[in-house]
Amino acid sequence: MRTINQQILSSGAAQPLIEFKGVYKTYDNGTKALSDVNLRIDKGEFVFIVGPSGSGKSTFIKLIIHEEKLDAGEILVNGFKMSSLRKKEVPLLRRTMGIVFQDFRLIPTMNVFENVAFPMHVVGASKREIRKRVSYALNLVGLGRKARNLPRELSGGEQQRVGLARALVNKPSMIIADEPTGNVDPNMAYEIVDLLAEINRRGTTVLMVTHAHQLVRDFDKRVVMIETGHIVADNAGGVF
Amino acid sequence: MKARSVRYLIGEGLKNIWLNRMMSIASIGVLMASMLLMGIAIAFSENVDRVMSSIESQNVVMVFLEDELTDEQVQSVYEQIKSLDNINPDETTYISSNQALEGVLHEMGPEYEEYFNQYFEEGNTIMPETVRASMIDLEKYDQTVAAIENVEGVDSYNSSRDLAVILTTVRDAINTAGVWIIVLLSLIALVIISNTVRITMFNRKLEISIMKAVGATNGFIRFPFMIEGITLGVIASFLTVGVEYLLYKLAIKALDPIIKILGYNPVPFSNFMWIILLIFLALGIISGLIASIITISKYLRREGSEFSAL
């Protein structure tokens, strides 16, 4: 069976949203985090990134958001060439993506509305735009009535949904979710992934790092498995 | 950066000051100490300059005669001084010890006159016989004073010029010491403000990581901290001017008897208020800006991990 990468490459598809070509990354302490990684993710895809701890999943994500620099090869993200990305271009790269964190990362002194609005202040959005987009995002994640609540007044699942809304609010071309279900109960985990799937259906590319293998099997999506810095599997349909 | 972003960030900077109010108060306190010393030095300088410009135009030397001279001897010394070169005989006068005492008591005010009368018997003068010698040409000051000293019966003299030299020396000493103290306090202020900003950054580590993750530039992240530093400097400036005004008023009140004796009119605070305010604002803003820029830049270079757990 051909992997997803092979199918796409042979079909002559349009430029990918994310492309890794012969990527190597070694940390200063000698740890080889990624070796000869080749991968292509197209616009509109939903991709699970799975693998054991220390496999290189986090490094993979850090290279995409340019928190780490690659040692060899090339990475293209949303038209940005990572090997030659200048410091002042990094914020521009990150504005094309929305990040969902495992530990939610909500600001405790801001209410739900303010937390979701926060990225819009960074890009200088007007009050009108902020009101419109934040309301849309909160309604999408089912928290329209909790706009004035503080994070401590929400459950883990609700806090993660706020995190999702915040990731969406600047209309990014992709959502990168790092273990978004890591700190929520199993039922809520399915709701979170359902929401991500809905966001994906509306056109946003989703990249989700996870340890929740059962979840991966239950959702019929592409799965990329990383082990010891190599991609060992890249299959459709929740198979790995 | 868009105008609305600037407005938002100014709000965030001001909010930080309130959220870390104890450290903010400490920063303001240290800045004020530094500024106050500077202000006191300036106030002192202004008054010394005024004294000097008035006394440099005075051509009078008060010559004090020896005690126990007879009336004839006093008259003889008086005539000798009047006849010296460069002394204007028409404006040179003799002041008896009683007249001198009356004059001093009059300057000091009735409460001192009453005090004096309680403790000293009438006729006990305590003031010397004095000749008020007026010079014609101030260029010949030194030779004239030397000639006066050589007159037999002259005990000492008191010239405003000598006072000017003393005042200049004191002023220069205070200014020199003041500069070193101010430099030291400014460095301390930089450290304190830097710590305030560092604490704010630590408290806002989460926000900074999110800011970087959503694509905030370093300038966007740095701006509120700069606002914080500048605002602390501005607040310290205005508070210091207020405190200095009160202290100046108190000092003038406390030194009132001496001021009256000297017949001196202190420089009004409003004469140098704007100068010191401008200097304080410059010092406050620069200290605040430097401290916050150094601190946040170091932090942004070293830390601010967007994706790893905080």
Side-chain angles (χ1 to χ4, degrees):
Chain A
M1 186 177 103
R2 285 195 299 180
T3 64
I4 293 283
N5 248 340
Q6 289 164 333
Q7 287 169 21
I8 290 168
L9 284 165
S10 66
S11 70
Q15 190 168 6
L17 196 66
I18 298 173
E19 188 169 17
F20 277 57
K21 292 185 203 169
V23 171
Y24 289 80
K25 172 66 185 176
T26 304
Y27 287 107
D28 290 343
N29 61 5
T31 307
K32 286 197 172 93
L34 291 176
S35 298
D36 196 25
V37 169
N38 293 280
L39 180 71
R40 177 189 169 123
I41 297 171
D42 282 318
K43 197 172 179 311
E45 286 201 76
F46 189 126
V47 182
F48 286 113
I49 310 288
V50 301
S53 294
S55 60
K57 301 191 303 296
S58 293
T59 305
F60 177 78
I61 297 296
K62 285 181 185 180
L63 286 171
I64 291 174
I65 68 169
H66 205 73
E67 190 178 321
E68 290 288 344
K69 290 184 187 168
L70 68 162
D71 293 326
E74 187 57 84
I75 300 174
L76 294 162
V77 177
N78 230 343
F80 290 93
K81 212 170 168 185
M82 302 307 241
S83 58
S84 55
L85 194 71
R86 286 178 293 185
K87 236 180 172 174
K88 62 177 184 179
E89 291 175 317
V90 174
L92 301 175
L93 164 73
R94 292 189 184 159
R95 287 177 198 184
T96 66
M97 36 181 92
I99 302 178
V100 182
F101 301 94
Q102 181 180 358
D103 54 357
F104 319 139
R105 302 236 181 136
L106 300 183
I107 299 162
T109 53
M110 291 185 183
N111 65 28
V112 164
F113 187 97
E114 288 160 348
N115 265 288
V116 176
F118 192 61
M120 294 194 79
H121 287 296
V122 167
V123 300
S126 67
K127 279 188 180 163
R128 205 163 68 99
E129 284 164 50
I130 290 172
R131 260 198 310 272
K132 194 170 147 199
R133 284 293 306 172
V134 170
S135 301
Y136 167 79
L138 283 177
N139 285 327
L140 182 67
V141 302
L143 288 175
R145 288 171 184 243
K146 300 229 172 179
R148 295 204 187 283
N149 285 68
L150 290 171
R152 64 171 181 267
E153 296 164 354
L154 306 176
S155 67
E158 286 172 330
Q159 289 187 55
Q160 193 56 290
R161 283 193 276 160
V162 175
L164 255 173
R166 182 180 61 194
L168 272 175
V169 82
N170 270 339
K171 297 191 220 171
S173 54
M174 72 181 96
I175 297 276
I176 297 174
D178 175 34
E179 301 271 10
T181 60
N183 285 340
V184 299
D185 62 67
N187 287 338
M188 186 48 65
Y190 275 85
E191 280 198 40
I192 298 290
V193 184
D194 247 341
L195 267 171
L196 282 167
E198 174 57 31
I199 289 162
N200 175 245
R201 266 193 293 278
R202 293 181 188 216
T204 306
T205 307
V206 172
L207 213 62
M208 178 173 152
V209 175
T210 184
H211 278 124
H213 291 175
Q214 191 53 51
L215 207 69
V216 170
R217 289 190 184 93
D218 290 344
F219 282 86
D220 183 22
K221 303 292 179 191
R222 179 180 171 191
V223 182
V224 171
M225 183 160 199
I226 302 179
E227 268 184 24
T228 59
H230 295 87
I231 291 180
V232 297
D234 183 356
N235 303 313
V239 173
F240 65 99
Chain B
M1 217 187 286
K2 292 181 185 171
R4 61 174 79 99
S5 294
V6 170
R7 277 198 300 272
Y8 170 74
L9 292 172
I10 289 173
E12 290 296 298
L14 296 176
K15 202 166 76 177
N16 287 342
I17 293 173
W18 174 251
L19 290 173
N20 297 314
R21 44 195 175 274
M22 291 316 293
M23 278 306 296
S24 300
I25 289 170
S27 304
I28 290 169
V30 175
L31 266 174
M32 279 180 71
S34 187
M35 288 173 180
L36 203 57
L37 277 176
M38 197 185 289
I40 289 168
I42 293 171
F44 185 73
S45 245
E46 288 283 318
N47 280 282
V48 165
D49 287 344
R50 175 178 270 202
V51 167
M52 284 176 61
S53 61
S54 82
I55 64 181
E56 271 166 1
S57 63
Q58 288 179 13
N59 57 354
V60 166
V61 178
M62 300 298 282
V63 185
F64 305 121
L65 308 189
E66 288 172 359
D67 294 336
E68 314 298 332
L69 290 179
T70 64
D71 289 346
E72 292 80 20
Q73 284 170 322
V74 165
Q75 188 64 28
S76 168
V77 170
Y78 175 49
E79 293 300 331
Q80 283 180 70
I81 291 172
K82 268 172 60 170
S83 65
L84 285 173
D85 264 348
N86 200 35
I87 293 289
N88 186 341
D90 297 327
E91 291 187 19
T92 298
T93 55
Y94 162 69
I95 303 168
S96 71
S97 53
N98 285 333
Q99 285 173 315
L101 181 62
E102 272 173 32
V104 166
L105 290 176
H106 179 70
E107 288 291 328
M108 289 172 73
E111 62 272 22
Y112 288 96
E113 197 167 352
E114 201 183 311
Y115 167 80
F116 182 81
N117 288 336
Q118 274 183 335
Y119 290 99
F120 292 94
E121 292 168 7
E122 199 175 318
N124 189 349
T125 59
I126 74 167
M127 300 296 288
E129 309 289 341
T130 309
V131 174
R132 185 177 180 280
S134 174
M135 283 192 212
I136 300 165
D137 182 1
L138 281 172
E139 295 289 317
K140 296 179 185 170
Y141 174 85
D142 290 331
Q143 305 99 295
T144 312
V145 159
I148 289 173
E149 277 188 300
N150 281 337
V151 173
E152 204 170 319
V154 167
D155 180 37
S156 62
Y157 70 94
N158 193 1
S159 163
S160 302
R161 280 201 171 223
D162 296 329
L163 179 62
V165 168
I166 294 169
L167 279 174
T168 309
T169 309
V170 170
R171 182 192 65 184
D172 290 346
I174 287 175
N175 282 349
T176 305
V179 163
W180 285 106
I181 293 170
I182 285 159
V183 164
L184 186 64
L185 282 174
S186 298
L187 287 170
I188 294 171
L190 269 176
V191 169
I192 299 266
I193 293 175
S194 185
N195 276 339
T196 306
V197 170
R198 196 172 291 131
I199 287 172
T200 306
M201 272 177 349
F202 182 78
N203 290 341
R204 297 193 71 200
K205 222 169 155 173
L206 175 63
E207 282 175 64
I208 293 172
S209 81
I210 297 167
M211 274 200 247
K212 293 194 85 178
V214 302
T217 59
N218 282 353
F220 186 95
I221 296 170
R222 207 180 277 134
F223 196 79
F225 297 101
M226 284 163 52
I227 293 293
E228 191 179 342
I230 290 170
T231 306
L232 290 175
V234 168
I235 292 172
S237 305
F238 281 98
L239 285 177
T240 309
V241 169
V243 167
E244 181 154 348
Y245 170 73
L246 290 169
L247 288 176
Y248 193 72
K249 279 257 183 241
L250 280 170
I252 289 176
K253 200 174 171 187
L255 295 168
D256 189 51
I258 300 170
I259 290 169
K260 279 187 175 153
I261 289 173
L262 293 173
Y264 173 64
N265 216 2
V267 177
F269 188 77
S270 54
N271 276 26
F272 54 88
M273 183 179 79
W274 295 110
I275 299 169
I276 60 170
L277 179 62
L278 281 171
I279 293 171
F280 291 167
L281 282 171
L283 176 71
I285 289 169
I286 291 168
S287 307
L289 208 55
I290 292 173
S292 56
I293 288 174
I294 290 172
T295 312
I296 186 67
S297 295
K298 271 170 76 172
Y299 178 83
L300 287 174
R301 266 201 305 276
R302 256 204 331 255
E303 310 204 30
S305 169
E306 295 75 77
F307 214 72
S308 312
L310 290 173

